[in-house]
């Protein structure tokens, strides 16, 4: 980034911000459809194997998903507050709030790791690796295939999102952004909110119903 | 151009307005809805209602995140259009795929699934072992 954040092909900072925002939303739309493909697969197999899916869903620890939902929602809130601080030109505050979000993301991944370790011990694994005694209904291993695909892809997004937050937070700490120019703060925040949005649908589908 | 100027300024002021209070309210609402959906999943409800209730609550939470955390509430039409278009495709993808499966000839469903004929119920050889 040069001394002036305004690229020469833009008339004003405001237009540049609008272009950046629109580009981010186009990207987020493709992300939504990426996850929708998995949700559609989940819908089809849940429709075909209602009993296997219901039993499998009951066999995993609901409280971990519940706590992780609270954690992610809260991290989204701290990201939003970080943007609020950036709008007011307070880069240090933005950096601290983004650091809190990254910390919450680590808590989320920690619970996920505990959960995955448990599934590996129990044999709640996809395909022919499925050896879980508790649920033997047809479709149970399909549930866990989709479980690992959906939560795994989401976890990758969490890692990408927390990296983006860490980088933007570090830049904010060094005073790279101002009240007028803070579009990277906003875009990193948008990505993080999308990660939260996807989890909001993952939680009931995987854990609750 | 001259007409757009005051609109753009008003929008910018709106964007630069402090949103802290609104964020806090949305956050509390999201926490409350999370607890609600958790309790609703435990409540005794007639069959099928759990899915409906969970999805309605998830949609409400998602709307709060998209409208207020992601600022679609006070942003330009283009961003809203992009997101709304993606939702149309979500509906098409999920809706048509489920419709396809819901209206299939029973033999087209994989063995062991809800819509399929029971194994051996077909008039010829029994169905192969269901994939677990």
């Amino acid at each position: 980034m040069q001394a002036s954040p305004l690229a020469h092909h833009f008339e004003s900072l405001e237009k540049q911000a609008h272009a950046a925002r629109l580009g981010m939303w186009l990207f987020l739309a493709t992300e939504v459809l990426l996850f929708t493909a998995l949700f559609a697969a989940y819908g089809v197999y849940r429709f075909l194997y209602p009993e296997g899916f219901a039993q499998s869903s009951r066999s995993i620890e609901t409280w971990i998903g519940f706590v992780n939902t609270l954690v992610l929602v809260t991290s989204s809130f701290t990201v939003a507050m970080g943007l609020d601080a950036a709008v007011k030109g307070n880069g240090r505050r933005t950096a601290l709030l983004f650091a809190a979000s990254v910390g919450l993301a680590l808590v989320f991944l920690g619970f996920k790791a505990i959960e995955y370790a448990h599934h590996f011990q129990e044999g709640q694994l996809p395909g022919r690796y499925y050896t879980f005694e508790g649920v033997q209904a047809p479709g149970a291993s399909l549930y866990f295939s989709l479980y690992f695909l959906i939560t795994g892809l989401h976890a990758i997004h969490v890692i990408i999102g927390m990296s983006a937050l860490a980088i933007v937070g570090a830049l904010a700490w060094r005073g790279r952004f101002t009240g007028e120019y803070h579009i990277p703060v906003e875009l990193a925040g948008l990505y993080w909110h999308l990660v939260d949005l996807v989890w909001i649908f993952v939680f009931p589908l995987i854990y609750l119903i | 151009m001259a007409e757009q100027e005051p609109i753009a300024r008003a929008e910018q002021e709106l964007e630069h307005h402090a949103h802290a209070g609104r964020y806090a309210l949305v956050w509390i609402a999201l926490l409350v809805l999370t607890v609600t959906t958790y309790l609703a999943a435990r409540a005794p409800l007639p069959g099928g209602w759990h899915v409906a209730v969970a999805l309605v609550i998830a949609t409400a939470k998602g709307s709060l995140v998209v409208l207020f955390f992601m600022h679609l509430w006070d942003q330009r039409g283009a961003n809203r259009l992009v997101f709304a278009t993606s939702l149309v495709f979500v509906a098409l993808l999920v809706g048509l795929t489920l419709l396809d499966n819901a209206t299939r000839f029973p033999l087209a469903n994989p063995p062991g699934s809800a819509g399929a004929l029971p194994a051996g119920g077909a008039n010829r050889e029994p169905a192969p072992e269901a994939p677990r």
Side-chain angles (χ1 to χ4, degrees), chain A residues 147-176:
Chain A
Y147 168 89
F148 279 106
L149 273 174
I150 294 175
T151 59
L153 186 66
H154 181 265
I156 292 171
H157 279 76
V158 169
I159 293 169
I160 297 171
M162 61 194 269
S163 311
L165 290 179
I167 293 167
V168 171
L171 292 176
W173 181 262
R174 290 195 215 144
R176 289 283 194 89

Side-chain angles (χ1 to χ4, degrees), chain B residues 58-82:
Chain B
T59 308
K61 287 164 73 184
S63 308
L64 285 175
V65 168
V66 169
L67 288 177
F68 300 113
F69 280 176
M70 296 170 95
H71 295 277
L72 270 199
W73 184 263
D74 38 35
Q75 263 178 18
R76 286 201 173 176
N79 298 342
R80 294 185 189 174
L81 187 66
V82 167

